[in-house]
Every structure is written in structure tokens, then in C-alpha cells.
Coordinates of all heavy atoms in Angstrom, one line a residue:
M1 N 1.2 12.5 -15.4 CA 1.9 11.3 -15.2 C 1.3 10.1 -16.0 O 0.0 10.1 -16.0 CB 1.9 10.8 -13.7 CG 2.7 9.6 -13.5 SD 2.7 9.2 -11.6 CE 3.7 7.8 -11.7
K2 N 2.0 9.4 -16.6 CA 1.4 8.3 -17.4 C 0.9 7.1 -16.6 O 1.6 6.8 -15.6 CB 2.6 7.7 -18.4 CG 2.1 6.7 -19.3 CD 3.2 6.2 -20.3 CE 2.5 5.2 -21.2 NZ 3.3 4.3 -21.7
E3 N -0.3 6.6 -17.0 CA -0.8 5.4 -16.3 C 0.0 4.2 -16.6 O 0.5 4.0 -17.6 CB -2.3 5.3 -16.6 CG -3.2 6.3 -16.2 CD -4.7 6.0 -16.7 OE1 -5.0 4.9 -17.2 OE2 -5.5 6.8 -16.3
L4 N 0.2 3.4 -15.5 CA 1.0 2.1 -15.7 C 0.1 1.0 -15.6 O -0.8 0.9 -15.0 CB 2.0 2.1 -14.4 CG 3.1 3.1 -14.3 CD1 3.9 2.9 -13.0 CD2 4.0 3.2 -15.6
D5 N 0.3 0.1 -16.6 CA -0.5 -1.1 -16.8 C 0.4 -2.3 -16.5 O 1.6 -2.3 -16.6 CB -0.9 -1.2 -18.3 CG -1.9 -0.1 -18.7 OD1 -2.6 0.5 -17.7 OD2 -2.0 0.2 -19.9
F6 N -0.3 -3.3 -16.0 CA 0.3 -4.5 -15.7 C -0.4 -5.6 -16.5 O -1.6 -5.7 -16.4 CB 0.1 -4.8 -14.1 CG 0.7 -6.1 -13.7 CD1 2.1 -6.2 -13.6 CD2 -0.1 -7.2 -13.3 CE1 2.6 -7.6 -13.1 CE2 0.3 -8.3 -12.8 CZ 1.7 -8.5 -12.7
T7 N 0.3 -6.5 -17.1 CA -0.3 -7.6 -17.8 C -0.2 -8.9 -17.0 O 0.9 -9.2 -16.5 CB 0.5 -7.8 -19.1 OG1 0.3 -6.6 -19.9 CG2 -0.2 -9.0 -20.0
T8 N -1.3 -9.6 -16.9 CA -1.3 -10.8 -16.0 C -2.1 -11.8 -16.9 O -2.8 -11.5 -17.8 CB -1.9 -10.7 -14.7 OG1 -1.7 -11.9 -13.9 CG2 -3.3 -10.3 -14.6
E9 N -2.2 -13.1 -16.4 CA -2.8 -14.2 -17.1 C -3.9 -14.7 -16.2 O -3.7 -14.9 -15.0 CB -1.9 -15.3 -17.4 CG -2.3 -16.3 -18.4 CD -1.1 -17.2 -18.8 OE1 -0.3 -16.8 -19.6 OE2 -1.2 -18.3 -18.4
C10 N -5.1 -14.9 -16.8 CA -6.3 -15.5 -16.0 C -5.7 -17.0 -15.6 O -5.3 -17.8 -16.5 CB -7.4 -15.6 -16.9 SG -8.8 -16.5 -16.1
P11 N -5.9 -17.2 -14.2 CA -5.5 -18.6 -13.8 C -6.4 -19.7 -14.3 O -5.9 -20.9 -14.3 CB -5.5 -18.5 -12.3 CG -6.3 -17.3 -12.1 CD -6.3 -16.4 -13.2
K12 N -7.6 -19.4 -14.9 CA -8.5 -20.4 -15.3 C -8.4 -20.6 -16.8 O -8.2 -21.8 -17.2 CB -9.9 -20.0 -14.9 CG -10.9 -21.1 -15.4 CD -12.4 -20.7 -14.8 CE -13.2 -21.8 -15.2 NZ -14.7 -21.4 -14.9
C13 N -8.4 -19.6 -17.7 CA -8.4 -19.8 -19.1 C -7.2 -19.4 -19.8 O -6.9 -19.8 -20.9 CB -9.6 -19.1 -19.7 SG -9.4 -17.3 -19.8
G14 N -6.2 -18.6 -19.1 CA -4.9 -18.2 -19.6 C -5.1 -16.9 -20.5 O -4.0 -16.6 -21.0
H15 N -6.2 -16.4 -20.5 CA -6.3 -15.2 -21.3 C -5.5 -14.0 -20.6 O -5.3 -13.9 -19.4 CB -7.8 -14.6 -21.3 CG -8.1 -13.3 -22.0 ND1 -7.9 -13.1 -23.3 CD2 -8.4 -12.1 -21.4 CE1 -8.1 -11.8 -23.6 NE2 -8.4 -11.2 -22.3
K16 N -4.8 -13.2 -21.5 CA -3.9 -12.1 -20.9 C -4.7 -10.8 -20.6 O -5.4 -10.4 -21.7 CB -2.7 -11.8 -21.9 CG -1.8 -13.0 -22.0 CD -0.5 -12.6 -22.5 CE 0.5 -13.6 -22.7 NZ 0.8 -14.5 -21.6
L17 N -4.7 -10.4 -19.5 CA -5.5 -9.2 -19.0 C -4.5 -8.1 -18.8 O -3.4 -8.3 -18.2 CB -6.2 -9.5 -17.8 CG -7.2 -10.6 -17.8 CD1 -7.0 -11.4 -16.6 CD2 -8.6 -10.1 -17.9
T18 N -4.9 -6.9 -19.2 CA -4.1 -5.7 -18.9 C -4.9 -5.0 -17.8 O -6.1 -4.6 -18.1 CB -3.9 -4.9 -20.2 OG1 -3.2 -5.6 -21.1 CG2 -3.1 -3.7 -19.9
I19 N -4.2 -4.7 -16.7 CA -4.9 -4.0 -15.6 C -4.0 -2.8 -15.1 O -2.8 -2.8 -15.1 CB -5.0 -5.0 -14.4 CG1 -5.9 -6.2 -14.8 CG2 -5.7 -4.3 -13.2 CD1 -5.6 -7.4 -13.9
K20 N -4.7 -1.7 -14.9 CA -4.1 -0.5 -14.4 C -3.6 -0.8 -13.1 O -4.2 -1.3 -12.3 CB -5.1 0.7 -14.5 CG -5.5 1.2 -15.8 CD -6.4 2.2 -15.8 CE -6.9 2.8 -17.1 NZ -6.5 2.1 -18.3
L21 N -2.4 -0.2 -12.8 CA -1.7 -0.5 -11.6 C -2.5 0.1 -10.4 O -2.7 -0.6 -9.3 CB -0.3 0.3 -11.6 CG 0.4 0.1 -10.2 CD1 0.8 -1.3 -9.9 CD2 1.8 0.9 -10.3
E22 N -3.3 1.2 -10.6 CA -4.0 1.8 -9.5 C -5.2 0.9 -9.2 O -6.0 1.1 -8.1 CB -4.5 3.2 -9.7 CG -5.4 3.3 -11.0 CD -4.5 3.7 -12.2 OE1 -3.3 3.7 -12.3 OE2 -5.2 4.1 -13.2
E23 N -5.6 -0.1 -10.1 CA -6.7 -1.0 -9.8 C -6.3 -2.3 -9.1 O -7.1 -3.1 -8.7 CB -7.4 -1.3 -11.1 CG -8.0 -0.2 -11.8 CD -8.7 -0.6 -13.2 OE1 -8.4 -1.6 -13.6 OE2 -9.3 0.2 -13.7
M24 N -5.0 -2.2 -8.8 CA -4.4 -3.6 -8.0 C -4.2 -3.3 -6.7 O -3.3 -3.5 -6.0 CB -3.0 -3.9 -8.7 CG -3.2 -4.3 -10.2 SD -1.6 -4.7 -10.8 CE -1.0 -6.0 -9.9
Y25 N -5.3 -2.9 -5.9 CA -5.3 -2.7 -4.5 C -5.8 -3.9 -3.9 O -6.7 -4.7 -4.4 CB -5.9 -1.4 -4.1 CG -7.4 -1.3 -4.6 CD1 -8.4 -1.7 -3.9 CD2 -7.7 -0.6 -5.8 CE1 -9.7 -1.6 -4.2 CE2 -9.0 -0.5 -6.2 CZ -10.0 -1.0 -5.5 OH -11.2 -0.8 -5.9
P26 N -5.5 -4.1 -2.7 CA -6.0 -5.3 -1.8 C -7.5 -5.4 -1.8 O -8.1 -4.3 -1.4 CB -5.3 -5.2 -0.4 CG -4.2 -4.4 -0.7 CD -4.5 -3.4 -1.9
G27 N -8.1 -6.5 -2.1 CA -9.5 -6.6 -2.0 C -10.3 -6.3 -3.3 O -11.4 -6.7 -3.5
N28 N -9.6 -5.6 -4.3 CA -10.3 -5.4 -5.6 C -10.3 -6.7 -6.4 O -9.4 -7.5 -6.3 CB -9.5 -4.4 -6.3 CG -10.2 -4.0 -7.6 OD1 -11.5 -4.0 -7.7 ND2 -9.4 -3.6 -8.6
I29 N -11.5 -6.9 -7.1 CA -11.5 -8.0 -8.0 C -11.9 -7.6 -9.4 O -12.6 -6.8 -9.7 CB -12.7 -8.9 -7.4 CG1 -12.4 -9.5 -6.0 CG2 -13.1 -10.1 -8.4 CD1 -13.6 -10.2 -5.3
Q30 N -11.1 -8.2 -10.4 CA -11.3 -8.1 -11.7 C -11.7 -9.4 -12.3 O -11.2 -10.3 -12.0 CB -10.0 -7.5 -12.4 CG -9.5 -6.2 -12.0 CD -10.3 -5.1 -12.6 OE1 -10.7 -5.1 -13.8 NE2 -10.5 -4.0 -11.8
N31 N -12.8 -9.4 -13.1 CA -13.2 -10.5 -13.7 C -12.6 -10.6 -15.2 O -12.4 -9.7 -15.9 CB -14.8 -10.5 -14.0 CG -15.5 -10.6 -12.6 OD1 -15.0 -11.3 -11.7 ND2 -16.6 -9.9 -12.6
C32 N -12.2 -11.9 -15.5 CA -11.5 -12.2 -16.7 C -12.6 -11.9 -17.9 O -13.8 -12.1 -17.8 CB -11.2 -13.7 -16.9 SG -10.5 -14.1 -18.5
E33 N -12.1 -11.2 -18.8 CA -12.9 -10.7 -20.0 C -13.4 -11.8 -20.7 O -14.5 -11.7 -21.5 CB -12.2 -9.8 -20.9 CG -11.6 -8.6 -20.2 CD -10.3 -8.0 -20.8 OE1 -9.8 -8.6 -21.8 OE2 -10.0 -6.9 -20.5
V34 N -12.8 -13.1 -20.7 CA -13.1 -14.2 -21.5 C -14.1 -15.1 -20.8 O -15.2 -15.4 -21.2 CB -12.0 -14.9 -22.1 CG1 -12.3 -16.1 -22.8 CG2 -11.1 -13.9 -23.1
C35 N -13.6 -15.6 -19.7 CA -14.4 -16.6 -18.9 C -15.1 -16.2 -17.7 O -15.8 -16.9 -17.1 CB -13.4 -17.8 -18.5 SG -12.3 -17.3 -17.2
G36 N -14.9 -14.9 -17.3 CA -15.6 -14.3 -16.2 C -15.0 -14.6 -14.8 O -15.5 -14.3 -13.8
Y37 N -13.8 -15.4 -14.8 CA -13.2 -15.9 -13.5 C -12.8 -14.6 -12.7 O -12.1 -13.8 -13.2 CB -12.1 -16.7 -13.9 CG -11.4 -17.4 -12.6 CD1 -12.0 -18.6 -12.1 CD2 -10.3 -16.8 -12.0 CE1 -11.4 -19.1 -11.0 CE2 -9.6 -17.4 -10.9 CZ -10.3 -18.6 -10.4 OH -9.7 -19.1 -9.2
P38 N -13.1 -14.6 -11.4 CA -12.8 -13.5 -10.6 C -11.3 -13.5 -10.2 O -10.8 -14.5 -9.6 CB -13.7 -13.6 -9.4 CG -14.0 -15.1 -9.3 CD -14.0 -15.6 -10.7
I39 N -10.6 -12.5 -10.4 CA -9.1 -12.3 -10.1 C -9.1 -11.3 -9.1 O -9.3 -10.1 -9.2 CB -8.3 -12.0 -11.3 CG1 -8.5 -13.1 -12.4 CG2 -6.7 -11.9 -10.9 CD1 -7.9 -12.7 -13.7
S40 N -8.7 -11.8 -7.8 CA -8.5 -10.8 -6.7 C -7.0 -10.5 -6.6 O -6.2 -11.2 -6.9 CB -9.0 -11.4 -5.4 OG -8.4 -12.5 -5.1
F41 N -6.8 -9.3 -5.9 CA -5.4 -8.8 -5.7 C -5.1 -8.8 -4.2 O -6.0 -8.4 -3.5 CB -5.2 -7.5 -6.3 CG -5.5 -7.4 -7.8 CD1 -6.7 -7.0 -8.3 CD2 -4.6 -7.9 -8.7 CE1 -7.0 -7.1 -9.6 CE2 -5.0 -7.9 -10.0 CZ -6.0 -7.5 -10.5
E42 N -3.9 -9.2 -3.9 CA -3.5 -9.1 -2.6 C -2.4 -7.9 -2.4 O -2.2 -7.3 -3.4 CB -2.6 -10.4 -2.2 CG -3.4 -11.7 -2.5 CD -4.6 -11.9 -1.6 OE1 -4.6 -11.4 -0.4 OE2 -5.6 -12.3 -2.0
G43 N -2.2 -7.5 -1.3 CA -1.4 -6.4 -1.1 C 0.0 -6.5 -1.7 O 0.7 -5.5 -2.1
D44 N 0.5 -7.6 -1.9 CA 1.9 -7.8 -2.4 C 1.9 -7.7 -3.9 O 3.0 -7.4 -4.5 CB 2.4 -9.2 -2.1 CG 2.7 -9.3 -0.6 OD1 3.0 -8.3 0.0 OD2 2.7 -10.5 -0.1
D45 N 0.8 -7.8 -4.7 CA 0.8 -7.7 -6.1 C 1.3 -6.4 -6.6 O 2.2 -6.3 -7.4 CB -0.6 -7.8 -6.7 CG -1.2 -9.3 -6.5 OD1 -0.3 -10.2 -6.5 OD2 -2.4 -9.4 -6.3
A46 N 0.8 -5.3 -6.1 CA 1.3 -3.9 -6.6 C 2.6 -3.6 -5.9 O 3.4 -2.9 -6.7 CB 0.3 -2.9 -6.1
R47 N 2.9 -4.0 -4.8 CA 4.2 -3.8 -4.3 C 5.4 -4.5 -5.0 O 6.4 -3.9 -5.2 CB 4.3 -4.3 -2.8 CG 3.8 -3.3 -1.7 CD 4.1 -3.7 -0.4 NE 3.5 -4.9 0.1 CZ 2.3 -5.0 0.6 NH1 1.6 -3.9 0.9 NH2 1.8 -6.1 1.0
E48 N 5.1 -5.7 -5.5 CA 6.1 -6.3 -6.4 C 6.3 -5.7 -7.6 O 7.5 -5.5 -8.1 CB 5.7 -7.9 -6.6 CG 5.8 -8.8 -5.3 CD 5.3 -10.1 -5.5 OE1 5.1 -10.6 -6.7 OE2 5.1 -10.8 -4.5
F49 N 5.2 -5.2 -8.2 CA 5.3 -4.5 -9.5 C 6.1 -3.2 -9.3 O 7.0 -2.8 -10.0 CB 3.9 -4.2 -10.1 CG 3.9 -3.6 -11.4 CD1 4.3 -4.3 -12.6 CD2 3.5 -2.3 -11.5 CE1 4.3 -3.7 -13.8 CE2 3.6 -1.7 -12.9 CZ 3.9 -2.5 -14.0
S50 N 5.8 -2.5 -8.3 CA 6.4 -1.2 -7.9 C 7.8 -1.5 -7.6 O 8.8 -0.6 -8.2 CB 5.8 -0.6 -6.8 OG 6.4 0.6 -6.5
K51 N 8.2 -2.5 -6.9 CA 9.7 -2.8 -6.8 C 10.4 -3.1 -8.0 O 11.6 -2.7 -8.3 CB 9.8 -4.0 -5.8 CG 11.4 -4.2 -5.4 CD 11.5 -5.4 -4.6 CE 13.0 -5.8 -4.2 NZ 13.9 -5.5 -5.2
A52 N 9.8 -3.8 -8.9 CA 10.4 -4.1 -10.2 C 10.6 -2.8 -11.0 O 11.7 -2.6 -11.6 CB 9.5 -5.0 -11.1
L53 N 9.7 -1.9 -10.9 CA 9.9 -0.5 -11.7 C 11.1 0.2 -11.0 O 11.8 0.8 -11.8 CB 8.6 0.3 -11.6 CG 7.5 -0.2 -12.5 CD1 6.2 0.6 -12.2 CD2 7.8 -0.1 -13.8
D54 N 11.1 0.2 -9.7 CA 12.2 0.9 -9.0 C 13.5 0.3 -9.4 O 14.5 1.0 -9.6 CB 12.1 0.8 -7.4 CG 11.0 1.6 -7.0 OD1 10.6 2.6 -7.7 OD2 10.5 1.5 -5.8
D55 N 13.7 -1.1 -9.4 CA 14.9 -1.8 -9.8 C 15.3 -1.4 -11.2 O 16.4 -1.1 -11.6 CB 14.8 -3.3 -9.7 CG 14.6 -3.7 -8.3 OD1 14.9 -3.0 -7.4 OD2 14.2 -5.0 -8.1
L56 N 14.3 -1.4 -12.1 CA 14.6 -0.9 -13.5 C 15.1 0.5 -13.6 O 16.0 0.8 -14.3 CB 13.3 -1.1 -14.4 CG 13.5 -0.8 -15.8 CD1 14.4 -1.7 -16.5 CD2 12.0 -0.8 -16.5
D57 N 14.4 1.4 -12.8 CA 14.9 2.8 -12.7 C 16.3 2.9 -12.3 O 17.2 3.6 -12.8 CB 14.0 3.6 -11.9 CG 14.4 5.0 -11.7 OD1 14.4 5.7 -12.8 OD2 14.5 5.7 -10.7
H58 N 16.7 2.2 -11.3 CA 18.0 2.2 -10.8 C 19.1 1.7 -11.8 O 20.2 2.1 -12.0 CB 18.3 1.3 -9.5 CG 17.6 2.0 -8.3 ND1 18.0 3.2 -7.8 CD2 16.6 1.6 -7.5 CE1 17.2 3.5 -6.7 NE2 16.3 2.5 -6.5
T59 N 18.7 0.6 -12.5 CA 19.5 0.2 -13.6 C 19.8 1.1 -14.7 O 20.9 1.2 -15.1 CB 18.8 -1.2 -14.2 OG1 18.7 -2.1 -13.1 CG2 19.7 -1.9 -15.3
F60 N 18.8 1.8 -15.1 CA 18.9 2.9 -16.1 C 19.7 4.0 -15.6 O 20.7 4.5 -16.3 CB 17.6 3.5 -16.6 CG 16.8 2.5 -17.5 CD1 15.6 2.1 -17.4 CD2 17.5 2.1 -18.7 CE1 14.8 1.3 -18.2 CE2 16.8 1.4 -19.7 CZ 15.5 1.0 -19.4
K61 N 19.7 4.3 -14.3 CA 20.5 5.4 -13.7 C 21.9 5.0 -13.7 O 22.9 5.7 -14.0 CB 20.1 5.8 -12.4 CG 18.7 6.6 -12.4 CD 18.3 7.1 -11.1 CE 17.0 7.8 -11.2 NZ 16.3 8.1 -9.9
D62 N 22.1 3.7 -13.3 CA 23.6 3.2 -13.3 C 24.1 3.1 -14.7 O 25.3 3.5 -14.9 CB 23.5 1.7 -12.7 CG 23.3 1.7 -11.2 OD1 23.4 2.8 -10.6 OD2 22.9 0.7 -10.7
L63 N 23.3 2.7 -15.7 CA 23.8 2.6 -17.1 C 24.2 4.1 -17.5 O 25.3 4.3 -18.2 CB 22.7 2.1 -18.0 CG 23.0 2.1 -19.5 CD1 24.3 1.2 -19.7 CD2 21.9 1.5 -20.2
K64 N 23.4 5.1 -17.3 CA 23.6 6.5 -17.6 C 24.9 7.0 -17.0 O 25.7 7.6 -17.7 CB 22.5 7.3 -17.1 CG 22.5 8.8 -17.7 CD 21.4 9.5 -17.2 CE 21.4 11.0 -17.7 NZ 20.2 11.8 -17.3
R65 N 25.1 6.7 -15.8 CA 26.4 7.0 -15.1 C 27.6 6.4 -15.7 O 28.6 7.0 -15.9 CB 26.4 6.8 -13.6 CG 25.6 7.7 -12.8 CD 25.8 7.5 -11.3 NE 25.3 6.2 -10.8 CZ 24.0 6.1 -10.3 NH1 23.2 7.1 -10.3 NH2 23.6 5.0 -9.9
T66 N 27.5 5.1 -16.1 CA 28.6 4.4 -16.7 C 28.9 5.0 -18.1 O 30.1 5.2 -18.4 CB 28.2 3.0 -16.8 OG1 27.9 2.3 -15.5 CG2 29.3 2.2 -17.4
L67 N 27.9 5.2 -18.8 CA 28.1 5.8 -20.1 C 28.7 7.2 -20.1 O 29.6 7.6 -20.9 CB 26.7 5.9 -20.9 CG 26.2 4.5 -21.3 CD1 24.8 4.7 -22.0 CD2 27.1 3.8 -22.3
K68 N 28.2 8.0 -19.1 CA 28.8 9.3 -18.9 C 30.3 9.2 -18.6 O 31.0 10.1 -19.1 CB 28.0 10.0 -17.7 CG 28.1 11.5 -17.9 CD 27.2 12.0 -16.8 CE 26.8 13.6 -17.2 NZ 25.9 14.1 -16.2
R69 N 30.7 8.3 -17.6 CA 32.1 8.1 -17.4 C 32.9 7.8 -18.6 O 34.1 8.0 -18.7 CB 32.3 7.1 -16.3 CG 32.1 7.6 -14.9 CD 32.3 6.7 -13.9 NE 31.1 6.2 -13.5 CZ 30.7 4.9 -13.1 NH1 31.6 4.1 -13.0 NH2 29.5 4.6 -12.8
Q70 N 32.2 7.1 -19.6 CA 33.1 6.6 -20.7 C 32.9 7.6 -21.8 O 33.4 7.4 -23.0 CB 32.3 5.3 -21.2 CG 32.6 4.1 -20.4 CD 31.9 2.9 -20.8 OE1 31.1 2.9 -21.8 NE2 32.1 1.7 -20.1
G71 N 32.4 8.8 -21.5 CA 32.3 9.9 -22.5 C 31.2 9.8 -23.4 O 31.2 10.4 -24.5
R72 N 30.2 9.1 -23.2 CA 29.0 8.9 -24.0 C 27.8 9.6 -23.4 O 27.8 9.6 -22.0 CB 28.7 7.5 -24.3 CG 29.8 6.8 -25.0 CD 29.5 5.3 -25.2 NE 30.6 4.6 -25.7 CZ 30.6 3.2 -25.6 NH1 29.6 2.6 -25.2 NH2 31.7 2.7 -26.1
K73 N 26.8 9.9 -24.0 CA 25.6 10.4 -23.4 C 24.4 9.6 -24.0 O 24.4 9.0 -24.8 CB 25.4 11.9 -23.9 CG 26.3 12.8 -23.1 CD 25.8 14.2 -23.3 CE 26.7 15.1 -22.4 NZ 26.4 16.5 -22.3

């Protein structure tokens, strides 16, 4: 399975950070690579990202069904 990454912005300096989804568990802290600001994760962070992925998956499935009905693959 491919690892999923999440891009977020440091609230202090604005640097864009790429964080692995599995590192976004409640209580984990990642320090900004530029300014060192500690960024902590709440339980909702990963859940919101996961829900967005599920919504995207449903959208692609709906699109595939629509195209199939129209005779396209």
C-alpha cells in the first residue's frame, strides 16, 4: 500500500510541511523544519483527511458508473 502524505502549513512561519498520514495521531508533535515551531495533532486531523479521501473515492466511483452508462470506459 502506498504511504499517504498530508501537506500542511506551519502556523508560525508559513513553511509547507509534508507529513505522513500515519504520523498524524493524537498527541504526536512534529517540529517545523524551518523555525522549529512544534505542531501537534488532534484526533480530528487524520479523521478529516481520511473522510476527504473517502469522498474522493466515492466521486471517482460515481464518475466511473456514469461513464459506463454512457458507453465509455
Side-chain angles (χ1 to χ4, degrees):
M1 181 177 181
K2 184 179 181 204
E3 292 183 358
L4 297 175
D5 295 336
F6 178 75
T7 302
T8 190
E9 194 172 285
C10 174
K12 184 174 180 184
C13 73
H15 175 72
K16 294 203 184 301
L17 299 137
T18 301
I19 302 166
K20 291 181 181 9
L21 182 60
E22 62 266 11
E23 294 174 352
M24 294 177 61
Y25 55 87
N28 187 28
I29 296 173
Q30 295 283 323
N31 292 323
C32 175
E33 302 153 350
V34 174
C35 71
Y37 187 80
I39 301 168
S40 62
F41 301 100
E42 304 300 322
D44 291 337
D45 294 328
R47 278 192 293 270
E48 287 176 16
F49 185 71
S50 181
K51 183 183 178 324
L53 287 176
D54 287 342
D55 291 346
L56 182 62
D57 184 53
H58 289 297
T59 300
F60 281 126
K61 286 178 182 176
D62 290 343
L63 177 61
K64 185 177 179 180
R65 280 192 293 269
T66 300
L67 292 174
K68 202 172 202 178
R69 275 183 262 151
Q70 294 175 355
R72 300 177 189 167
K73 285 193 176 189

